[in-house]
Amino acid sequence: MPRWSVSPSRRALLRDGLPSFLLADTVWAAFSGPTDEEWSDYLVLRRRQGFTALLISVLPIEHDRSEGGRSPYAVVDGRLDLSAGDPGYWPRAVRFLEQAVEHGFTPMLVLLWNNFVPATWGAGLTPQLVLDEQQTLDHVRDSVERFARFEPIWIVSGDDDLDADEAIARYSLAASEVRRLAPEALVTWHSTPTARMPEDLANGPLLDLHGLQSGHNEDWDTLPQTLTRYVDGLAVTRPIIDLEPCYEGLGRFAGRARHSRADVRRASWTGVVAGAAAGLGYGAHGVWSWHRRGSAFTAEAVHGVPFPAAVALGFPGADDVGFLRRVVEAEGLSELREDRALLESEPSGAVAGRVDEHLVAVYAPSAFALTCRLDPASVASVTVYDLDERRQDAAEWTAVAGEDGTGRIRLEQPEFPGDALFVIRVEHGTAAA
């Protein structure tokens, strides 16, 4: 089984000791939705596309669920009983993870979606699902006992605002128990796009990497950069992953549109170049809830009806993020950090970052020329990728003078209409004199 660890720089991840970009597919309902045959076909497809991890909720997400799935629990006399549901749920979950690791996937398991934790917005929707402290400990211990042999990355929270002391205390209790029972395992948290993890928690011992959610709302295109800037500015350096950028096909803006593969690419690459370069989560609307044609969906008013899982599995954005992983690894970009001073002011939303003084990356969401504060004499090479077509193209650049008279390079407008990634290798120095 692959084992992930944090690199010596604390900015990237290693897979079996080698630098690797963690690419996770979102299949929250894996334990409750697919049939055995569907699961087998799913694993083969995602492996071919280059995914290395799977995002799974250990317990069903009731407020965001397609009907017809299995459940390990039931509400008995107004209280959640974790042992009163489908007796085949847990053996099936173990069997599915056995297959997943055989295909080379690392499970990323959410222990406590916010519905099961007091003082959360999810608890307000489903108060009958809230676990007490002992139930929480029992659930964490049972989950570690069942699944630790698959060497998962543990995610202690699910879609939480992280603004209530009681909820943070409960998640911290879960994280501490994971630390005790599986001290070698990596731990992270999953929060809402509006959450800002308190600094004492973010800098403390209960997580190993930052798992952001830039999400699906009106700020889907800028939050990958904004959230990454926040955690990158914290005192303790950790690898950063956007676990949940916008899902392909998900409804947004009160039913006015759905996120496209171009949206997914923009959110994904913006985050990577801004510094969330250790890994990425991808989601297709219909796969994550394992939706079936004609089934009801509890969050239809928010996200729109999902596509059938069999349809959503064919969305092209999955191949786009597979290409992203290949480029990041081939070009050595897993330790990118945003450098706001690299780009001259321009309105397109382009973002620039650097690995070190010799390697720079620029993501351009639209085909316009960009001016970088780089000494032309220091530039060894410029490579450009056509991200819509998933191929390398010919890059053109020229030396120009900045407003202060010093040298700059102008990345000429690519001759393709979609988004682009420029990779610039520098022989000496990165900033113009």
Side-chain angles (χ1 to χ4, degrees):
M1 288 179 288
R3 173 173 290 181
W4 293 86
S5 59
V6 176
S7 70
S9 71
R10 315 298 297 174
R11 296 206 58 84
L13 292 174
L14 306 177
R15 189 174 188 238
D16 296 331
L18 299 175
S20 185
F21 185 85
L22 188 152
L23 181 61
D25 188 45
T26 306
V27 59
W28 298 130
F31 294 166
S32 59
T35 65
D36 285 41
E37 183 178 2
E38 288 171 335
W39 185 245
S40 296
D41 290 343
Y42 165 82
L43 294 174
V44 170
L45 174 63
R46 289 307 196 226
R47 180 184 62 185
R48 290 176 53 224
Q49 292 171 317
F51 289 88
T52 56
L54 304 175
L55 287 160
I56 299 171
S57 179
V58 173
L59 298 172
I61 305 171
E62 295 292 352
H63 70 276
D64 253 356
R65 190 175 186 187
S66 296
E67 70 172 9
R70 299 185 178 203
S71 176
Y73 54 71
V75 177
V76 179
D77 297 328
R79 185 172 185 268
L80 189 67
D81 186 338
L82 284 170
S83 62
D86 183 347
Y89 184 91
W90 297 116
R92 184 170 179 270
V94 169
R95 187 172 72 252
F96 276 21
L97 290 189
E98 287 174 342
Q99 291 178 266
V101 298
E102 286 172 2
H103 283 76
F105 293 105
T106 294
M108 301 183 72
L109 302 179
V110 178
L111 287 165
L112 295 166
W113 209 266
N114 63 62
N115 301 81
F116 303 96
V117 176
T120 66
W121 65 267
L125 296 176
T126 55
Q128 73 279 9
L129 300 182
V130 175
L131 301 171
D132 63 30
E133 187 171 304
Q134 188 58 53
Q135 285 179 307
T136 300
L137 284 171
D138 290 343
H139 167 61
V140 172
R141 291 165 184 166
D142 288 345
S143 295
V144 173
E145 182 179 357
R146 288 186 183 104
F147 303 134
R149 65 186 174 98
F150 303 117
E151 300 194 12
I153 295 172
W154 296 100
I155 306 175
V156 295
S157 65
D159 207 28
D160 198 82
D161 292 326
L162 302 181
D163 60 353
D165 290 343
E166 185 179 6
I168 290 175
R170 186 64 58 84
Y171 293 127
S172 297
L173 177 69
S176 298
E177 193 66 3
V178 171
R179 282 278 192 245
R180 184 180 73 83
L181 297 171
E184 300 299 317
L186 294 183
V187 175
T188 189
W189 299 44
H190 178 278
S191 55
T192 62
T194 56
R196 300 295 182 272
M197 181 177 278
E199 291 192 24
D200 59 340
L201 180 61
N203 294 322
L206 296 182
L207 75 160
D208 300 293
L209 57 115
H210 290 291
L212 312 180
Q213 181 195 170
S214 58
H216 325 281
N217 64 20
E218 287 83 350
D219 298 321
W220 63 270
D221 55 342
T222 57
L223 274 171
Q225 191 174 28
T226 304
L227 290 174
T228 301
R229 284 176 180 172
Y230 173 75
V231 297
D232 194 41
L234 294 167
V236 176
T237 299
R238 304 188 194 276
I240 306 171
I241 296 175
D242 191 345
L243 291 175
E244 190 172 329
C246 55
Y247 289 166
E248 188 171 8
L250 190 82
R252 60 188 175 97
F253 306 149
R256 293 195 295 274
R258 288 184 184 263
H259 282 294
S260 66
R261 62 179 284 220
D263 292 347
V264 175
R265 283 202 312 273
R266 178 167 184 169
S268 300
W269 276 109
T270 295
V272 165
V273 176
L280 176 71
Y282 164 81
H285 193 37
V287 174
W288 65 271
S289 65
W290 211 267
H291 193 73
R292 300 185 187 282
R293 187 175 286 104
S295 297
F297 176 59
T298 56
E300 177 181 346
V302 180
H303 301 310
V305 176
F307 297 88
V311 173
L313 280 167
F315 287 171
D319 290 308
D320 289 342
V321 296
F323 183 71
L324 180 152
R325 177 198 164 199
R326 293 196 298 275
V327 171
V328 168
E329 291 183 345
E331 296 285 3
L333 303 178
S334 61
E335 296 196 15
L336 275 169
R337 298 185 71 184
E338 184 182 13
D339 187 338
R340 298 189 222 183
L342 276 171
L343 285 180
E344 298 279 9
S345 177
E346 54 80 33
S348 73
V351 57
R354 70 173 76 219
V355 174
D356 53 31
E357 63 179 1
H358 300 294
L359 183 57
V360 170
V362 179
Y363 172 66
S366 300
F368 294 104
L370 301 170
T371 301
C372 299
R373 296 186 178 97
L374 295 170
D375 178 1
S378 71
V379 174
S381 66
V382 178
T383 302
V384 66
Y385 290 92
D386 179 344
L387 301 176
D388 181 56
E389 295 292 335
R390 308 185 201 113
R391 62 180 178 85
Q392 187 175 327
D393 204 285
E396 299 288 343
W397 67 276
T398 54
V400 296
E403 293 179 359
D404 59 359
T406 58
R408 302 284 193 265
I409 72 165
R410 174 183 163 99
L411 301 173
E412 299 297 347
Q413 177 175 304
E415 295 197 352
F416 50 85
D419 51 344
L421 180 79
F422 294 89
V423 179
I424 306 167
R425 298 192 182 274
V426 179
E427 291 180 337
H428 55 85
T430 57

